[in-house]
Amino acid sequence: MENTTEDKELLLNQWQTCVDMANSVSQRRDNMNNIFITLNLAIMAAVSITWDIKSLFILIAGITICILWMLNIRNYKLLNTAKFNVINSIEEKLPSAPFKDEWQFLKNSKKYMDSTTLERILPITFIILYIAAVIAIIVIKCTSC
């Protein structure tokens, strides 16, 4: 009997470690998003100050950074999915499964939108702004020639 109690405690400790690791990944993901947001705002500020042909290089760099940002978002989604799959498999051996229950509730809610979908809106918005700025600069410079 004591062995099963020890096993359950060990399993619960492993579950807690996995949850802590998932929270750590989410914090790193938030920090990564904040860095990319700050970098893109700095690019937009630099372009708005110069607003000439030289800005095209900065805008292309901005588009590249946004693509890297979207790749990072995808990687963090894959990492989180793997972590929560492990958490869910451990929860099957525990008396309750709070993460699995929460996810089922959210999946059934029509108001819930996946965080990754929401995260992707920002880099896409910046890409659209960069492309619009590239077109505006080219049109302005070509009409003044």
Side-chain angles (χ1 to χ4, degrees):
M1 188 84 159
E2 231 176 70
N3 192 18
T4 59
T5 303
E6 287 178 13
D7 288 346
K8 286 182 181 180
E9 285 183 30
L10 178 62
L11 193 61
L12 187 60
N13 286 337
Q14 289 174 336
W15 178 85
Q16 182 63 48
T17 300
C18 289
V19 169
D20 290 342
M21 289 170 52
N23 286 335
S24 174
V25 168
S26 293
Q27 288 173 348
R28 287 195 331 248
R29 184 176 181 162
D30 288 343
N31 288 339
M32 182 259 324
N33 283 327
N34 288 336
I35 289 168
F36 277 109
I37 289 168
T38 303
L39 187 55
N40 279 283
L41 290 173
I43 289 169
M44 290 302 284
V47 169
S48 68
I49 291 170
T50 56
W51 200 254
D52 61 9
I53 294 294
K54 295 174 197 166
S55 299
L56 294 178
F57 295 109
I58 298 170
L59 292 167
I60 291 168
I63 292 169
T64 304
I65 287 167
C66 287
I67 291 168
L68 291 173
W69 186 4
M70 291 190 326
L71 291 172
N72 272 295
I73 290 170
R74 187 200 64 186
N75 286 343
Y76 274 109
K77 178 183 175 49
L78 293 171
L79 183 57
N80 277 342
T81 299
K83 289 197 175 300
F84 281 103
N85 284 339
V86 171
I87 289 169
N88 289 339
S89 69
I90 293 172
E91 283 184 348
E92 290 175 1
K93 300 170 187 139
L94 295 173
S96 72
F99 281 103
K100 188 175 182 179
D101 293 344
E102 178 182 15
W103 183 243
Q104 281 305 116
F105 177 76
L106 288 172
K107 279 176 34 179
N108 294 332
S109 171
K110 293 181 181 186
K111 294 180 181 179
Y112 177 74
M113 184 182 285
D114 182 69
S115 297
T116 302
T117 303
L118 292 171
E119 278 178 306
R120 287 183 180 141
I121 291 171
L122 276 172
I124 290 169
T125 302
F126 277 112
I127 288 172
I128 291 168
L129 289 171
Y130 293 147
I131 291 171
V134 166
I135 292 168
I137 290 170
I138 290 172
V139 167
I140 290 169
K141 292 302 174 183
C142 287
T143 57
S144 66
C145 292

